[in-house]
Amino acid sequence: MHEIIESDTYGVQGAPSQRKVLPFLESLLSFTELDVEKITPALRRVCEDLESQDRARVADALIELGVLANEHSFFLPVYTKWFYFQSAGFEKVGTQVERAQHELRKLPEALPLYQKQVQRFFDLILDVDKAGREPSQQIMRHYHFNQPDRPGDAALFPFRLLTTRFEPVGGDACAPVLYADTVADMISFSLQICVERNITVRRCKNCGRYFAQTGRVSAEYCDRAPLDGQTSCRAIGAFQQWTLKQADDPVFKAYRREYKRRFAWIKAGRISDGDFYAWSEQARAQKKRCDKGGITLEEFQRWLKES
């Protein structure tokens, strides 16, 4: 399950200038981890430069917005909108510009609020360990049925009135497509899809970050891009589970004990590298026989002792 984010910066219908394919919910999850304080100065500069309507400053603002949009896809609607205003001419879209300036002015304060509201939404509705496996049921407890944009809990994210269409995606399937205008639209759509499809989230047992449970609902380790660029948490979790399982396996314990003992012989000069690796190959074959029931544990232990 994926999310596809496209932007039509140049106004070429049907030919997006940017396209990103991400694992489902990755854009929202990474937004909750965004260092808002780090990007706030850039947003304030952009706002001041755009309000000046000075050609050079507007150009600088668009470049800075483009950098933000490249860093996180939730800023794409903001960048695309202002690129369009600049191309069309501010004077021709005056009312839209005024509304967009007001939104942009409030964005530095809105972003940390959005993060807190999304976290609250996770806690009460999507977190499988706190709220359960039925987001569609949980949401009825916290939102007014006839006013979904006014949640009963003021700390929850209020849903937005969205512009969507059901249309082909990727050339071979149809899906709901959001025509986003703001950062809040992107958040609202992501949460709405989770509730609609009963997709829960869970904190990874290794890295502590949230991940979407689009596969096995019992998964405890995420498969998100590692923060350190190393092994994925899911691979680490699989290895840890294997290690725990082997620790309780008497066949493996017998093999491992003898393996470590003979490996130490290499340093002591009691056995050559070649002899050790030849023995370890035979030992693995005998262990496999024991695992399959071809020989008993006692017979395997006797072979290890006498080999």
Side-chain angles (χ1 to χ4, degrees), residues 228-247:
D228 58 6
Q230 302 300 315
T231 308
S232 73
C233 294
R234 189 159 294 177
I236 292 172
F239 178 74
Q240 289 176 343
Q241 292 298 319
W242 179 85
T243 302
L244 288 173
K245 183 178 178 181
Q246 297 302 322

Side-chain angles (χ1 to χ4, degrees), residues 23 26 33 207 209 222-233:
E26 179 58 33
E33 300 163 355
C207 69
R209 297 188 297 162
C222 76
D223 202 24
R224 298 178 62 192
L227 292 174
D228 58 6
Q230 302 300 315
T231 308
S232 73
C233 294

Side-chain angles (χ1 to χ4, degrees), residues 8-290:
D8 185 15
T9 304
Y10 307 116
V12 182
Q13 296 297 322
S17 56
Q18 294 187 49
R19 188 175 194 268
K20 294 181 179 179
V21 180
L22 303 169
F24 177 73
L25 211 62
E26 179 58 33
S27 57
L28 179 64
L29 296 174
S30 58
F31 171 76
T32 64
E33 300 163 355
L34 201 62
D35 187 346
V36 175
E37 289 187 6
K38 185 177 179 181
I39 63 176
T40 291
L43 284 172
R44 296 197 186 284
R45 283 194 304 271
V46 165
C47 189
E48 292 172 4
D49 288 343
L50 289 173
E51 287 183 344
S52 75
Q53 294 195 17
D54 175 80
R55 180 174 297 180
R57 292 181 66 181
V58 167
D60 290 342
L62 288 174
I63 291 172
E64 206 149 16
L65 274 179
V67 171
L68 288 173
N70 188 58
E71 289 181 0
H72 199 282
S73 55
F74 276 13
F75 294 110
L76 269 173
V78 183
Y79 168 69
T80 304
K81 180 164 50 182
W82 280 99
F83 189 97
Y84 164 72
F85 291 160
Q86 187 268 343
S87 301
F90 291 131
E91 67 284 352
K92 294 182 180 179
V93 286
T95 305
Q96 296 178 58
V97 169
E98 288 180 16
R99 186 168 60 248
Q101 284 176 337
H102 178 68
E103 292 170 354
L104 192 57
R105 232 177 275 126
K106 293 171 61 179
L107 197 54
E109 288 74 35
L111 292 177
L113 174 61
Y114 292 159
Q115 288 179 322
K116 292 177 182 177
Q117 289 175 332
V118 171
Q119 178 61 58
R120 183 69 170 161
F121 195 95
F122 285 174
D123 289 343
L124 296 180
I125 296 168
L126 297 186
D127 190 317
V128 68
D129 297 311
K130 293 180 180 180
R133 300 188 184 280
E134 299 291 337
S136 58
Q137 292 181 14
Q138 294 297 334
I139 200 167
M140 300 301 291
R141 302 179 183 179
H142 301 286
Y143 283 80
H144 298 294
F145 181 74
N146 60 342
Q147 294 177 306
D149 59 334
R150 291 178 58 191
D153 186 333
L156 273 170
F157 183 84
F159 286 105
R160 286 350 191 230
L161 184 63
L162 304 176
T163 300
T164 62
R165 270 203 320 228
F166 192 69
E167 58 186 62
V169 176
D172 58 355
C174 287
V177 176
L178 168 71
Y179 287 81
D181 189 58
T182 65
V183 173
D185 287 353
M186 304 286 276
I187 298 171
S188 190
F189 188 69
S190 297
L191 296 178
Q192 174 184 312
I193 292 294
C194 285
V195 174
E196 179 186 348
R197 302 186 183 182
N198 269 338
I199 295 173
T200 55
V201 298
R202 168 173 279 157
R203 285 197 180 277
C204 175
K205 284 182 66 174
N206 183 59
C207 69
R209 297 188 297 162
Y210 273 115
F211 66 100
Q213 293 194 300
T214 54
R216 292 186 303 109
V217 293
S218 60
E220 296 182 324
Y221 296 88
C222 76
D223 202 24
R224 298 178 62 192
L227 292 174
D228 58 6
Q230 302 300 315
T231 308
S232 73
C233 294
R234 189 159 294 177
I236 292 172
F239 178 74
Q240 289 176 343
Q241 292 298 319
W242 179 85
T243 302
L244 288 173
K245 183 178 178 181
Q246 297 302 322
D248 294 330
D249 182 358
V251 177
F252 178 80
K253 287 165 69 174
Y255 163 77
R256 188 64 177 168
R257 184 167 52 248
E258 188 64 20
Y259 181 98
K260 291 171 69 174
R261 189 168 74 94
R262 296 195 181 224
F263 185 79
W265 288 358
I266 298 176
K267 291 184 178 180
R270 296 180 56 186
I271 190 174
S272 68
D273 289 1
D275 289 342
F276 171 76
Y277 290 117
W279 171 86
S280 66
E281 187 174 343
Q282 294 177 39
R284 284 196 300 274
Q286 292 296 324
K287 177 183 176 298
K288 187 178 293 186
R289 284 185 64 199
C290 189

